[in-house]
Amino acid sequence: VLCVSAGAEELPWTIKESTGLIKLASGTNVAGTVTIPAEVEGTPVVGLDYMAIKSTFDVTEMIFPDTIRFFESNTLDGSPNLAALTLPRDLLIIKDGSLSGMPIERLVIPPSVSVIDGAIFNLSKIKSITFEGMCPVFAPDSYYTTFADLAAECVIYVPDDQIDAYEAAFA
């Protein structure tokens, strides 16, 4: 297992050049704040690959570049110490299992997000989820159910002009 401090210059990322999706190299464990790079090996980073940062138990905060548009399945799942999370402003798609099992208390979904596919669940400490834009498509997923197992006191905020659309989507 390779252990890297959060203050290190570069983490060992692997990138799929054809898609621009990255993940931490196999066996990597990090602690503290992780900053996702805007490019790896000269290829622009547009998203986080399947299980990109899964099970990095000591990560407490993630910082994303403006280039991130896509979270593949299970991107951040299994990060039980990830208490601070600000999603990228231009994020478009959040796939199944990406935002689950972490102790965040507040989650803000940027207005750019257009698809959420079984991605937000098992957040036992969440107090609020704020959607800043139009109602995204909540794609049906056969395994993950968006909004399952949220804290009982969780409140979901939506824009006033989108209440009907969100009520229909949540129904």
Side-chain angles (χ1 to χ4, degrees), residues 91-141:
L91 185 64
L92 297 171
I93 298 171
I94 306 172
K95 298 265 313 213
D96 54 313
S98 290
L99 303 175
S100 67
M102 55 188 87
I104 58 175
E105 291 187 2
R106 288 170 184 70
L107 180 62
V108 176
I109 307 296
S112 56
V113 172
S114 59
V115 176
I116 296 177
D117 180 11
I120 303 167
F121 64 93
N122 192 20
L123 299 175
S124 62
K125 295 187 178 187
I126 192 104
K127 294 181 179 167
S128 69
I129 300 173
T130 301
F131 287 88
E132 293 185 323
M134 292 179 60
C135 184
V137 171
F138 292 96
D141 187 280

Side-chain angles (χ1 to χ4, degrees), residues 22-94:
I22 65 167
K23 69 168 53 177
L24 281 172
S26 180
T28 302
N29 191 12
V30 294
T33 299
V34 172
T35 301
I36 305 297
E39 83 173 34
V40 172
E41 299 172 8
T43 301
V45 173
V46 298
L48 299 179
D49 202 359
Y50 173 72
M51 295 176 64
I53 306 167
K54 185 176 174 66
S55 299
T56 51
F57 296 108
D58 296 323
V59 173
T60 56
E61 180 180 16
M62 300 285 306
I63 299 173
F64 301 97
D66 292 336
T67 59
I68 299 292
R69 305 284 185 272
F70 189 83
F71 282 1
E72 183 53 87
S73 301
N74 300 320
T75 296
L76 303 175
D77 179 32
S79 298
N81 294 312
L82 185 59
L85 183 65
T86 302
L87 297 178
R89 292 298 310 163
D90 294 326
L91 185 64
L92 297 171
I93 298 171
I94 306 172

